[in-house]
Amino acid sequence: MDKLSPLTPVSPRISFKSSLQHLDLEWTVQNLPHHQELKMIFLIEISRIRTSNIIWVGNYSTTVKWNQVIHWSWKSELPLECATHFVRIKSMVDNGMPPELSSWSEWSSWEEVHAQNPLEPNALFVFPKRKLVEEGANVTICSIFGSNLKDIFCYLEGELIHGEQLDSHILTFELSNVPFVRVSGMNFYCVEKPTNITDGIVLFVSKVLEEPKDFSCETRDFKTLSCTWSPGVDTGLGWSMQPSQSYTLVESVSRERKHCEHKNVCNWKITQELQEIYNFTLIAENHLRKRSVNIFFNLTHRVHPLAPYNVSLESIEATQATLRWKVLYHGNRYSLLCQVELEGEGKVIQQSNVSVKVSGEEIFSELVPDTEYQACIRCAGAGHFWKWSEWNCQKFSTSEAAPSEALAVWSTVREENGSCIVNLFWKPLSKLHAKGKILHYNIITENLDKPHRVKLYSASGLANDMKLTLDQCAYQINVTASNSAGQSPASVIAISGDSGKEVEEERIQRTEDGFFVSWKPLSADNIIGYVVGWCVRLQDPLCDLQWKNIGPNTTSTVISSDAFRPGIRYDFRVYGISTGRVASLIEKRTGYYRELTPSMNPRVTVKNLTSHSFVLSWTDYSTNDQSGFIQGYHVSLKSKNRQCQPGFEKAVCSAYTLVQIILPMIFSVLLIISVCYWKSQWVKEKCYPEIPDPNKSSILSLIKSKENPHLTIMNVKDCIPDALEVINKPESTKAQVMGTEKPFLAESELTAYLYPLQKEHSGPGPWICFENFTYNQSASDAGLCGHIPVPSKDLPWQQGLLTQPDNLLNVLEGNCEQPLREIPAGEASLNYVSQLASPLYGDKDSFSNNPTTTMPEPCSDYKMQMAVPACLASPLPSKESSLSSVVLLDQGEHYH
């Protein structure tokens, strides 16, 4: 045939698949020659709702035989149930000529497709039903309704959406990039109002199937390959719409495939022929798509050995042990490299590598006796490393050995009832030197004068000291520590019968780094070193003695310790050590890590009270109660209606000042005003007493000023001072008192006598105030100041002293051999003189008639105190044992 006649498609048949939204076409071609194949082109047109509304046009090329049925499929974006579709076809022979020069056949007749039955007037439907798409896809939904329904409203996940009117009874909705909401799908429904006729669908949106990641295969026993991967997100959906993705393993060399039962692992059996090269493809698949990955490897390069087994420690001794183990045999062609580690105290201390095929061995050496260790081993392929096996670890402990170092030993010695009491101390050995559990300590005393007199003592392994009672002879003491394997070298210390020279104790100050202790070097040639020992109250039997060994060429050291605490007194001793291990005391030191304010006030008692005197007594602070060095005490005396000197005024009035600060924080302003009003007189008396007028003082009558009648000069001779006499000899602490306002009393028990300078005087009793001299801080305890009622009757032996006031003034004018600049705290006597107002020449009013006459006036107010040397003090009879304080007072006057 030179020219083929047009071949028209005939008998087209159309079917549909609603779930896939597919139109399937079948047709044949007329006039096709027998036993001949022709390459043909078919032109297809598809219309929707009406034939004139063509929505798709396309060509389909294929080779056609005689009497052959041709198949073609088309997918619609709009659910097929939403509208009627029409299809027609025409064809031509593909002879290589352009289409415009070729001849097309006639169109076939239109074929009509109805996927939905005719609607009832009140019917409402939404399509597609049970639609499955991937996340991010575009979806078209339609709503069709009968002629009686007009107002249709549609909602996606409860939110109203608006569609496009395809015709009078069809609404379409274009959903773009739909999200995954839940495995049970998204809800879409439409409702007609006011009839509330409703229909809806569930749109199932699947997660996108991911490509498997980290795909890998390995063997542990050369029998099975284990392939693993990370599956990614699960694409399974509810309502049986889509199960989770499935996985298939395909090996291209052997052309075998296996469906994997798990979603992340699949085992492949190795053939006995020992195939070395493998090429695996892993396929992931769900209802919507497929994904695949591939790996290619040599089997011997993917060996992950099992952990070593039969691991054991053998031949365990004090310093070495042997580790043995086995591995799974893989043939003579394959060996493993095993890594061995030894751990001690939580860290690796030894490490080595051993190549093995069946079994291995490693010897650990240089171990510490009586120590727990852990031996660990793991293996990997020796030829090509892939992965280490798991660790296999075993714990073991080495046996004990004899202690390797002598104990650090020290002692204190004191005499008691003709014997030497030796407190022996030693420091426990470190674990490194103990080499085991110390069971007991052995103490051997040997009398150096009688070598056959040897005694053996034993102390528990938990002890670190022992008390020994020895005679006055010289002794040598050996101390050793014992465990189950033996005993340590002996520590030797010698005790001399010679008590040695007396050493005076000196005070020491703490530096920034600790206590700095220094000493003069000993000139003897047999000195091998020094020892500095320290403790809280060194003579206390319960003292936790500490010591430090110093070389022979060193003469100072800094003692620092985290155990030092403020307010605690520490005693230090420095000893020289001779070649015979005999210790000789060369220095004594004592000091505080930091001195603190005294924590308590003296307990004061008053006795022998008369109208002109009393005895004031208190007891020293004991050394154990001191939080700093007590250098002395302050005693002040004042009339009740007069002021203390500035420091003492703080002690008397500080309690009310505190009230003034605290009350505004607690009470309201109204309450404060009320309290102040009610207590105004008390406030005035305590803190604002009446200030005496200097112009009315009797001392003004003693001097006459020619230039200015209002100018008055005071003379010490015109005042008869009270006297405070201190008698005692305590520790030799010195204090500067000249030029100070506060009297000083040494640290001891004190007795104070109070004497008036005039008998013709009446008033309230004296008050006594104390202040700590070291810290210049007034004590606030109520026991520090006290009111003392004074009887009005004199003692007979006081009369002579009181009737000669001028004699005392004359003595004050004289010279004294002892200087007044520095007064030791332990002086045998100390006279304290205060200037109190006292009329000297009778009533000062008797001179008022003659203003030109200069007459001495009595001293007024409380003046600066004076320290008077002992040579000026008048001796007073006293039976009090320690310290006495003598004060001269006016009769019946009140003092503080």
PDB file of all heavy atoms in Angstrom, residues 733-756:
ATOM      1  N   THR A 733      53.411  41.339 132.019  1.00  0.00           N
ATOM      2  CA  THR A 733      52.947  42.126 130.875  1.00  0.00           C
ATOM      3  C   THR A 733      53.011  43.604 131.243  1.00  0.00           C
ATOM      4  O   THR A 733      52.606  43.984 132.331  1.00  0.00           O
ATOM      5  CB  THR A 733      51.511  41.741 130.519  1.00  0.00           C
ATOM      6  OG1 THR A 733      51.463  40.344 130.255  1.00  0.00           O
ATOM      7  CG2 THR A 733      51.039  42.500 129.292  1.00  0.00           C
ATOM      8  N   LYS A 734      53.508  44.423 130.349  1.00  0.00           N
ATOM      9  CA  LYS A 734      53.619  45.850 130.598  1.00  0.00           C
ATOM     10  C   LYS A 734      52.624  46.605 129.743  1.00  0.00           C
ATOM     11  O   LYS A 734      52.319  46.202 128.660  1.00  0.00           O
ATOM     12  CB  LYS A 734      55.039  46.335 130.274  1.00  0.00           C
ATOM     13  CG  LYS A 734      56.093  45.718 131.202  1.00  0.00           C
ATOM     14  CD  LYS A 734      57.470  46.275 130.926  1.00  0.00           C
ATOM     15  CE  LYS A 734      58.523  45.716 131.886  1.00  0.00           C
ATOM     16  NZ  LYS A 734      59.861  46.265 131.662  1.00  0.00           N
ATOM     17  N   ALA A 735      52.170  47.734 130.257  1.00  0.00           N
ATOM     18  CA  ALA A 735      51.226  48.546 129.498  1.00  0.00           C
ATOM     19  C   ALA A 735      51.546  50.008 129.696  1.00  0.00           C
ATOM     20  O   ALA A 735      51.927  50.408 130.801  1.00  0.00           O
ATOM     21  CB  ALA A 735      49.796  48.243 129.932  1.00  0.00           C
ATOM     22  N   GLN A 736      51.403  50.789 128.679  1.00  0.00           N
ATOM     23  CA  GLN A 736      51.596  52.231 128.761  1.00  0.00           C
ATOM     24  C   GLN A 736      50.353  52.852 129.363  1.00  0.00           C
ATOM     25  O   GLN A 736      49.279  52.661 128.873  1.00  0.00           O
ATOM     26  CB  GLN A 736      51.825  52.789 127.348  1.00  0.00           C
ATOM     27  CG  GLN A 736      53.097  52.279 126.669  1.00  0.00           C
ATOM     28  CD  GLN A 736      54.358  52.836 127.300  1.00  0.00           C
ATOM     29  OE1 GLN A 736      54.290  53.869 127.942  1.00  0.00           O
ATOM     30  NE2 GLN A 736      55.478  52.151 127.137  1.00  0.00           N
ATOM     31  N   VAL A 737      50.506  53.567 130.460  1.00  0.00           N
ATOM     32  CA  VAL A 737      49.340  54.200 131.091  1.00  0.00           C
ATOM     33  C   VAL A 737      49.487  55.704 131.182  1.00  0.00           C
ATOM     34  O   VAL A 737      48.514  56.398 131.392  1.00  0.00           O
ATOM     35  CB  VAL A 737      49.107  53.623 132.506  1.00  0.00           C
ATOM     36  CG1 VAL A 737      48.787  52.151 132.432  1.00  0.00           C
ATOM     37  CG2 VAL A 737      50.309  53.850 133.398  1.00  0.00           C
ATOM     38  N   MET A 738      50.707  56.221 131.071  1.00  0.00           N
ATOM     39  CA  MET A 738      50.840  57.670 131.135  1.00  0.00           C
ATOM     40  C   MET A 738      50.174  58.307 129.921  1.00  0.00           C
ATOM     41  O   MET A 738      50.354  57.855 128.806  1.00  0.00           O
ATOM     42  CB  MET A 738      52.328  58.059 131.166  1.00  0.00           C
ATOM     43  CG  MET A 738      52.980  57.762 132.524  1.00  0.00           C
ATOM     44  SD  MET A 738      52.195  58.646 133.878  1.00  0.00           S
ATOM     45  CE  MET A 738      52.582  60.307 133.450  1.00  0.00           C
ATOM     46  N   GLY A 739      49.443  59.348 130.167  1.00  0.00           N
ATOM     47  CA  GLY A 739      48.776  60.045 129.080  1.00  0.00           C
ATOM     48  C   GLY A 739      47.455  59.447 128.679  1.00  0.00           C
ATOM     49  O   GLY A 739      46.830  59.929 127.789  1.00  0.00           O
ATOM     50  N   THR A 740      47.012  58.344 129.325  1.00  0.00           N
ATOM     51  CA  THR A 740      45.701  57.766 129.022  1.00  0.00           C
ATOM     52  C   THR A 740      44.707  58.230 130.037  1.00  0.00           C
ATOM     53  O   THR A 740      45.062  58.670 131.132  1.00  0.00           O
ATOM     54  CB  THR A 740      45.758  56.240 129.023  1.00  0.00           C
ATOM     55  OG1 THR A 740      46.023  55.810 130.348  1.00  0.00           O
ATOM     56  CG2 THR A 740      46.849  55.703 128.118  1.00  0.00           C
ATOM     57  N   GLU A 741      43.424  58.070 129.684  1.00  0.00           N
ATOM     58  CA  GLU A 741      42.361  58.469 130.586  1.00  0.00           C
ATOM     59  C   GLU A 741      41.870  57.339 131.437  1.00  0.00           C
ATOM     60  O   GLU A 741      41.053  57.524 132.304  1.00  0.00           O
ATOM     61  CB  GLU A 741      41.191  59.027 129.780  1.00  0.00           C
ATOM     62  CG  GLU A 741      41.502  60.345 129.087  1.00  0.00           C
ATOM     63  CD  GLU A 741      40.288  60.885 128.395  1.00  0.00           C
ATOM     64  OE1 GLU A 741      39.446  60.093 128.037  1.00  0.00           O
ATOM     65  OE2 GLU A 741      40.203  62.102 128.262  1.00  0.00           O
ATOM     66  N   LYS A 742      42.340  56.108 131.182  1.00  0.00           N
ATOM     67  CA  LYS A 742      41.722  54.960 131.823  1.00  0.00           C
ATOM     68  C   LYS A 742      42.728  54.256 132.719  1.00  0.00           C
ATOM     69  O   LYS A 742      43.839  53.940 132.310  1.00  0.00           O
ATOM     70  CB  LYS A 742      41.192  53.991 130.765  1.00  0.00           C
ATOM     71  CG  LYS A 742      40.192  54.662 129.854  1.00  0.00           C
ATOM     72  CD  LYS A 742      39.774  53.778 128.759  1.00  0.00           C
ATOM     73  CE  LYS A 742      38.824  54.525 127.815  1.00  0.00           C
ATOM     74  NZ  LYS A 742      38.393  53.721 126.719  1.00  0.00           N
ATOM     75  N   PRO A 743      42.392  53.979 133.961  1.00  0.00           N
ATOM     76  CA  PRO A 743      43.307  53.287 134.858  1.00  0.00           C
ATOM     77  C   PRO A 743      43.502  51.859 134.400  1.00  0.00           C
ATOM     78  O   PRO A 743      42.659  51.275 133.761  1.00  0.00           O
ATOM     79  CB  PRO A 743      42.587  53.343 136.201  1.00  0.00           C
ATOM     80  CG  PRO A 743      41.156  53.455 135.851  1.00  0.00           C
ATOM     81  CD  PRO A 743      41.104  54.258 134.589  1.00  0.00           C
ATOM     82  N   PHE A 744      44.635  51.276 134.745  1.00  0.00           N
ATOM     83  CA  PHE A 744      45.011  49.934 134.293  1.00  0.00           C
ATOM     84  C   PHE A 744      45.197  49.025 135.491  1.00  0.00           C
ATOM     85  O   PHE A 744      45.873  49.378 136.453  1.00  0.00           O
ATOM     86  CB  PHE A 744      46.315  50.027 133.493  1.00  0.00           C
ATOM     87  CG  PHE A 744      46.882  48.697 133.127  1.00  0.00           C
ATOM     88  CD1 PHE A 744      46.421  48.057 132.004  1.00  0.00           C
ATOM     89  CD2 PHE A 744      47.833  48.086 133.916  1.00  0.00           C
ATOM     90  CE1 PHE A 744      46.931  46.839 131.653  1.00  0.00           C
ATOM     91  CE2 PHE A 744      48.340  46.863 133.555  1.00  0.00           C
ATOM     92  CZ  PHE A 744      47.901  46.250 132.448  1.00  0.00           C
ATOM     93  N   LEU A 745      44.595  47.844 135.429  1.00  0.00           N
ATOM     94  CA  LEU A 745      44.780  46.850 136.468  1.00  0.00           C
ATOM     95  C   LEU A 745      45.251  45.571 135.832  1.00  0.00           C
ATOM     96  O   LEU A 745      44.751  45.170 134.795  1.00  0.00           O
ATOM     97  CB  LEU A 745      43.455  46.599 137.216  1.00  0.00           C
ATOM     98  CG  LEU A 745      42.940  47.810 138.015  1.00  0.00           C
ATOM     99  CD1 LEU A 745      41.668  47.435 138.734  1.00  0.00           C
ATOM    100  CD2 LEU A 745      43.972  48.306 139.008  1.00  0.00           C
ATOM    101  N   ALA A 746      46.200  44.926 136.460  1.00  0.00           N
ATOM    102  CA  ALA A 746      46.781  43.715 135.866  1.00  0.00           C
ATOM    103  C   ALA A 746      45.817  42.554 135.947  1.00  0.00           C
ATOM    104  O   ALA A 746      44.844  42.568 136.672  1.00  0.00           O
ATOM    105  CB  ALA A 746      48.085  43.364 136.580  1.00  0.00           C
ATOM    106  N   GLU A 747      46.128  41.504 135.172  1.00  0.00           N
ATOM    107  CA  GLU A 747      45.288  40.313 135.085  1.00  0.00           C
ATOM    108  C   GLU A 747      45.474  39.486 136.357  1.00  0.00           C
ATOM    109  O   GLU A 747      46.469  38.821 136.555  1.00  0.00           O
ATOM    110  CB  GLU A 747      45.712  39.515 133.850  1.00  0.00           C
ATOM    111  CG  GLU A 747      44.930  38.269 133.609  1.00  0.00           C
ATOM    112  CD  GLU A 747      45.452  37.567 132.381  1.00  0.00           C
ATOM    113  OE1 GLU A 747      46.159  38.217 131.606  1.00  0.00           O
ATOM    114  OE2 GLU A 747      45.150  36.377 132.223  1.00  0.00           O
ATOM    115  N   SER A 748      44.498  39.515 137.239  1.00  0.00           N
ATOM    116  CA  SER A 748      44.590  38.773 138.504  1.00  0.00           C
ATOM    117  C   SER A 748      43.311  38.982 139.276  1.00  0.00           C
ATOM    118  O   SER A 748      42.402  39.672 138.845  1.00  0.00           O
ATOM    119  CB  SER A 748      45.799  39.266 139.323  1.00  0.00           C
ATOM    120  OG  SER A 748      45.916  38.560 140.531  1.00  0.00           O
ATOM    121  N   GLU A 749      43.258  38.373 140.470  1.00  0.00           N
ATOM    122  CA  GLU A 749      42.126  38.675 141.354  1.00  0.00           C
ATOM    123  C   GLU A 749      42.383  40.030 141.981  1.00  0.00           C
ATOM    124  O   GLU A 749      43.502  40.330 142.414  1.00  0.00           O
ATOM    125  CB  GLU A 749      42.001  37.597 142.425  1.00  0.00           C
ATOM    126  CG  GLU A 749      40.826  37.848 143.374  1.00  0.00           C
ATOM    127  CD  GLU A 749      40.694  36.749 144.406  1.00  0.00           C
ATOM    128  OE1 GLU A 749      41.321  35.701 144.221  1.00  0.00           O
ATOM    129  OE2 GLU A 749      39.974  36.983 145.377  1.00  0.00           O
ATOM    130  N   LEU A 750      41.348  40.873 142.027  1.00  0.00           N
ATOM    131  CA  LEU A 750      41.533  42.262 142.432  1.00  0.00           C
ATOM    132  C   LEU A 750      40.632  42.603 143.604  1.00  0.00           C
ATOM    133  O   LEU A 750      39.508  42.132 143.699  1.00  0.00           O
ATOM    134  CB  LEU A 750      41.221  43.191 141.255  1.00  0.00           C
ATOM    135  CG  LEU A 750      42.064  42.940 139.991  1.00  0.00           C
ATOM    136  CD1 LEU A 750      41.489  43.744 138.849  1.00  0.00           C
ATOM    137  CD2 LEU A 750      43.497  43.346 140.247  1.00  0.00           C
ATOM    138  N   THR A 751      41.155  43.454 144.477  1.00  0.00           N
ATOM    139  CA  THR A 751      40.368  43.975 145.603  1.00  0.00           C
ATOM    140  C   THR A 751      40.467  45.490 145.573  1.00  0.00           C
ATOM    141  O   THR A 751      41.560  46.044 145.462  1.00  0.00           O
ATOM    142  CB  THR A 751      40.892  43.438 146.937  1.00  0.00           C
ATOM    143  OG1 THR A 751      40.909  42.021 146.869  1.00  0.00           O
ATOM    144  CG2 THR A 751      40.014  43.892 148.090  1.00  0.00           C
ATOM    145  N   ALA A 752      39.339  46.170 145.647  1.00  0.00           N
ATOM    146  CA  ALA A 752      39.315  47.637 145.600  1.00  0.00           C
ATOM    147  C   ALA A 752      38.791  48.171 146.926  1.00  0.00           C
ATOM    148  O   ALA A 752      37.787  47.680 147.441  1.00  0.00           O
ATOM    149  CB  ALA A 752      38.452  48.121 144.463  1.00  0.00           C
ATOM    150  N   TYR A 753      39.520  49.182 147.483  1.00  0.00           N
ATOM    151  CA  TYR A 753      39.066  49.892 148.683  1.00  0.00           C
ATOM    152  C   TYR A 753      38.662  51.287 148.266  1.00  0.00           C
ATOM    153  O   TYR A 753      39.350  51.954 147.496  1.00  0.00           O
ATOM    154  CB  TYR A 753      40.188  49.978 149.722  1.00  0.00           C
ATOM    155  CG  TYR A 753      40.562  48.630 150.292  1.00  0.00           C
ATOM    156  CD1 TYR A 753      41.606  47.905 149.742  1.00  0.00           C
ATOM    157  CD2 TYR A 753      39.838  48.071 151.339  1.00  0.00           C
ATOM    158  CE1 TYR A 753      41.954  46.667 150.234  1.00  0.00           C
ATOM    159  CE2 TYR A 753      40.186  46.829 151.841  1.00  0.00           C
ATOM    160  CZ  TYR A 753      41.244  46.122 151.285  1.00  0.00           C
ATOM    161  OH  TYR A 753      41.590  44.902 151.788  1.00  0.00           O
ATOM    162  N   LEU A 754      37.577  51.763 148.816  1.00  0.00           N
ATOM    163  CA  LEU A 754      37.012  53.058 148.446  1.00  0.00           C
ATOM    164  C   LEU A 754      36.965  53.914 149.703  1.00  0.00           C
ATOM    165  O   LEU A 754      36.346  53.524 150.689  1.00  0.00           O
ATOM    166  CB  LEU A 754      35.606  52.859 147.871  1.00  0.00           C
ATOM    167  CG  LEU A 754      35.075  53.931 146.951  1.00  0.00           C
ATOM    168  CD1 LEU A 754      35.981  54.065 145.749  1.00  0.00           C
ATOM    169  CD2 LEU A 754      33.672  53.570 146.520  1.00  0.00           C
ATOM    170  N   TYR A 755      37.649  55.074 149.680  1.00  0.00           N
ATOM    171  CA  TYR A 755      37.716  55.953 150.855  1.00  0.00           C
ATOM    172  C   TYR A 755      37.235  57.343 150.478  1.00  0.00           C
ATOM    173  O   TYR A 755      37.575  57.842 149.404  1.00  0.00           O
ATOM    174  CB  TYR A 755      39.152  56.070 151.371  1.00  0.00           C
ATOM    175  CG  TYR A 755      39.730  54.747 151.772  1.00  0.00           C
ATOM    176  CD1 TYR A 755      40.559  54.067 150.895  1.00  0.00           C
ATOM    177  CD2 TYR A 755      39.429  54.171 153.000  1.00  0.00           C
ATOM    178  CE1 TYR A 755      41.088  52.841 151.223  1.00  0.00           C
ATOM    179  CE2 TYR A 755      39.962  52.939 153.332  1.00  0.00           C
ATOM    180  CZ  TYR A 755      40.791  52.278 152.457  1.00  0.00           C
ATOM    181  OH  TYR A 755      41.325  51.071 152.789  1.00  0.00           O
ATOM    182  N   PRO A 756      36.487  57.998 151.332  1.00  0.00           N
ATOM    183  CA  PRO A 756      36.069  59.389 151.059  1.00  0.00           C
ATOM    184  C   PRO A 756      37.150  60.362 151.519  1.00  0.00           C
ATOM    185  O   PRO A 756      37.927  60.060 152.422  1.00  0.00           O
ATOM    186  CB  PRO A 756      34.786  59.534 151.875  1.00  0.00           C
ATOM    187  CG  PRO A 756      34.996  58.624 153.023  1.00  0.00           C
ATOM    188  CD  PRO A 756      35.828  57.467 152.537  1.00  0.00           C
TER     189      PRO A 756
END
